[in-house]
Amino acid sequence: MPLWQIYHPAGTFDVAASKQALAEDITKIYTAVGLPAFYVVVHFTQQSQGDVFVGGKPKGDKPFIRIVVTHIAVHQPKEDAAYRRVTAKIDNALKPHVADKGYDWEYHVDETERRLWKINGMIPPPWKSEEELQWFRDNQPLPYNGAYL
Amino acid sequence: MPLWQIYHPAGTFDVAASKQALAEDITKIYTAVGLPAFYVVVHFTQQSQGDVFVGGKPKGDKPFIRIVVTHIAVHQPKEDAAYRRVTAKIDNALKPHVADKGYDWEYHVDETERRLWKINGMIPPPWKSEEELQWFRDNQPLPYNGAYL
Amino acid sequence: MPLWQIYHPAGTFDVAASKQALAEDITKIYTAVGLPAFYVVVHFTQQSQGDVFVGGKPKGDKPFIRIVVTHIAVHQPKEDAAYRRVTAKIDNALKPHVADKGYDWEYHVDETERRLWKINGMIPPPWKSEEELQWFRDNQPLPYNGAYL
């Protein structure tokens, strides 16, 4: 559900452990509100220095991490306070892996329609439903009554 | 118009023919409702195992295909039945290429503003217009009265 | 803020200077309306011929450039005239680098929620605010009262 696309230069997230550590902290944002862990998909994409321009120039000084987040399963009420709760959680997850490393970074979240989303051909069960709890516990998509509607 | 971004691991869609077969079935979803074939752009992106995390872990067991679809030309009425018709068509296109292969997969569709979309500098003609029919028949963007407004 | 993701085949944007020239013209679209230059992030992604399908077929004849633009900081009033002003500026920026080169191309713009966007952990200041002017002048994100709300 949440899809995190992390674009980073060589010299950052070079080690498998550093990717996994960030992916784990990202995952906790969502499992903390009851979403199954396997909903959280994180893609790392390393870019060549020559393929990234910031303000029309190659980004020369500090490593720059650009993150595109897509939220599908749960949308916020369109209020400042709700948006702030979301970004606070993201900031918190990024802190040890990005901010504390001295990188520059930018992220934005896109919210897309839940009803245009499927996993293994199934409609993911409603948030906080019995069926979702089942998916959470088993950490995999399981057929349920209505999954293939 | 529809842009399909297909992220897949090595061992899936390795052969050119397997990519083309999926791209053809995707294209049929749209030509069936009168959209020109060339509107349908499909990008395959192979990812290293170490760059993909699902639930904070490397995806170890089955190949996992993550698909991001962007719809621009035609949006659904915001009703369950309409959304279901869209996902049913997508499920159908994916079946022989993804589901029947035993892969895991997930997709979501983003819908974006038609008026912020151009092809070769032209405004794509309205859905089901005479001009669109021309584009459909010729399978290429052709200047028309109003294309460069 | 604006994120431009430019997907292109080998043989286009091969030289660093050709990428930078386009990135500079893209950046001018936004600095002209007062946005800081460093808001403008451009990613070039070269794709193998075998990974791109248009209308279910490999794109064989002319190079095809597919551009995905994300607008976050400033959204248009949802009116034809406003949308046309945006696309006219984009067309203008692309002209010497894409249209005049004889390539085929397509772009669309996605607009996402400003309140789900941060740079270096800071909320980018409101458009045309004093603080934004400071960011513009210094061409970097600077702490201000409310940045970390």
Side-chain angles (χ1 to χ4, degrees):
Chain A
M1 171 291 278
L3 175 65
W4 281 59
Q5 296 172 298
I6 301 177
Y7 300 94
H8 65 98
T12 66
F13 301 109
D14 281 338
V15 187
S18 68
K19 293 184 204 182
Q20 179 147 358
L22 173 51
E24 284 171 359
D25 280 346
I26 290 168
T27 301
K28 283 177 201 158
I29 298 176
Y30 303 96
T31 54
V33 296
L35 293 168
F38 74 90
Y39 278 15
V40 185
V41 178
V42 181
H43 289 173
F44 288 87
T45 303
Q46 189 184 299
Q47 297 172 303
S48 306
Q49 171 120 0
D51 281 332
V52 179
F53 294 83
V54 176
K57 298 198 177 64
K59 177 74 181 155
D61 47 349
K62 290 195 276 179
F64 175 62
I65 317 290
R66 185 66 175 83
I67 302 173
V68 177
V69 182
T70 306
H71 279 177
I72 311 166
V74 182
H75 291 181
Q76 299 310 312
K78 302 194 175 304
E79 296 157 13
D80 287 1
Y83 287 126
R84 275 178 200 160
R85 277 193 299 272
V86 174
T87 54
K89 288 175 188 180
I90 293 174
D91 293 341
N92 190 47
L94 295 176
K95 190 173 183 304
H97 310 284
V98 175
D100 293 351
K101 296 257 163 82
Y103 304 154
D104 283 326
W105 78 100
E106 178 179 357
Y107 69 80
H108 77 274
V109 181
D110 191 12
E111 297 184 307
T112 73
E113 173 58 48
R114 193 189 219 273
R115 289 170 290 179
L116 291 173
W117 169 49
K118 284 198 171 179
I119 298 178
N120 283 7
M122 288 181 266
I123 302 167
W127 192 33
K128 305 196 169 177
S129 63
E130 198 65 27
E131 290 81 3
E132 190 193 53
L133 191 59
Q134 203 64 47
W135 285 32
F136 184 97
R137 279 201 208 109
D138 275 49
N139 197 26
Q140 59 173 313
L142 299 163
Y144 65 92
N145 197 1
Y148 295 102
L149 252 190
Chain B
M1 167 302 268
L3 175 64
W4 281 59
Q5 295 172 298
I6 300 176
Y7 300 94
H8 65 97
T12 65
F13 301 108
D14 281 338
V15 188
S18 68
K19 293 184 204 182
Q20 179 148 358
L22 174 51
E24 283 171 359
D25 281 345
I26 290 168
T27 301
K28 283 176 200 159
I29 299 176
Y30 304 96
T31 53
V33 296
L35 293 168
F38 74 89
Y39 277 16
V40 186
V41 178
V42 181
H43 289 173
F44 288 88
T45 304
Q46 190 184 298
Q47 298 173 303
S48 305
Q49 171 120 1
D51 282 332
V52 179
F53 293 83
V54 177
K57 297 199 176 64
K59 176 74 179 153
D61 49 349
K62 290 195 276 178
F64 175 62
I65 317 290
R66 186 65 176 85
I67 303 173
V68 177
V69 182
T70 306
H71 279 178
I72 311 165
V74 182
H75 290 181
Q76 300 311 310
K78 301 194 175 306
E79 296 157 13
D80 287 0
Y83 287 126
R84 275 179 201 160
R85 277 192 299 273
V86 174
T87 55
K89 288 175 188 180
I90 293 174
D91 293 339
N92 190 47
L94 295 176
K95 190 172 183 305
H97 311 283
V98 175
D100 293 352
K101 296 258 164 83
Y103 304 154
D104 284 326
W105 78 100
E106 178 180 356
Y107 69 79
H108 78 274
V109 182
D110 191 12
E111 297 184 307
T112 74
E113 173 60 47
R114 193 190 219 273
R115 289 169 290 180
L116 292 173
W117 169 49
K118 284 198 172 179
I119 298 178
N120 282 8
M122 288 181 266
I123 301 167
W127 192 33
K128 305 197 169 177
S129 63
E130 197 64 28
E131 290 82 1
E132 189 194 54
L133 191 59
Q134 204 63 49
W135 286 32
F136 184 97
R137 280 201 207 108
D138 276 49
N139 197 26
Q140 58 172 313
L142 299 163
Y144 65 92
N145 197 1
Y148 294 103
L149 253 189
Chain C
M1 169 300 271
L3 175 65
W4 281 59
Q5 296 173 296
I6 300 176
Y7 301 93
H8 65 97
T12 66
F13 301 109
D14 281 338
V15 188
S18 68
K19 294 184 205 183
Q20 179 148 359
L22 173 52
E24 284 171 358
D25 281 346
I26 291 169
T27 301
K28 283 176 201 158
I29 298 176
Y30 303 97
T31 53
V33 296
L35 293 168
F38 73 89
Y39 277 16
V40 185
V41 177
V42 181
H43 290 174
F44 287 88
T45 303
Q46 189 185 297
Q47 297 173 304
S48 305
Q49 172 119 0
D51 282 331
V52 179
F53 294 83
V54 176
K57 296 197 177 64
K59 177 74 178 153
D61 48 348
K62 291 196 275 178
F64 176 61
I65 317 290
R66 186 65 176 83
I67 303 174
V68 177
V69 182
T70 305
H71 279 177
I72 311 165
V74 181
H75 291 182
Q76 300 310 312
K78 302 195 176 305
E79 296 158 13
D80 287 0
Y83 286 126
R84 275 179 201 160
R85 279 193 298 273
V86 174
T87 54
K89 288 175 187 180
I90 293 174
D91 293 340
N92 189 47
L94 295 176
K95 191 173 182 306
H97 311 284
V98 174
D100 292 353
K101 296 257 163 84
Y103 304 154
D104 283 326
W105 77 101
E106 178 180 355
Y107 68 79
H108 77 273
V109 182
D110 191 12
E111 297 184 308
T112 73
E113 173 60 47
R114 192 190 221 272
R115 289 170 289 180
L116 292 173
W117 170 49
K118 284 197 170 180
I119 297 178
N120 283 7
M122 289 181 267
I123 301 166
W127 193 32
K128 305 196 169 178
S129 63
E130 197 64 28
E131 290 82 1
E132 190 194 52
L133 191 59
Q134 203 63 47
W135 286 32
F136 184 97
R137 279 200 207 110
D138 274 50
N139 197 26
Q140 58 172 313
L142 299 163
Y144 66 92
N145 198 359
Y148 293 103
L149 252 188

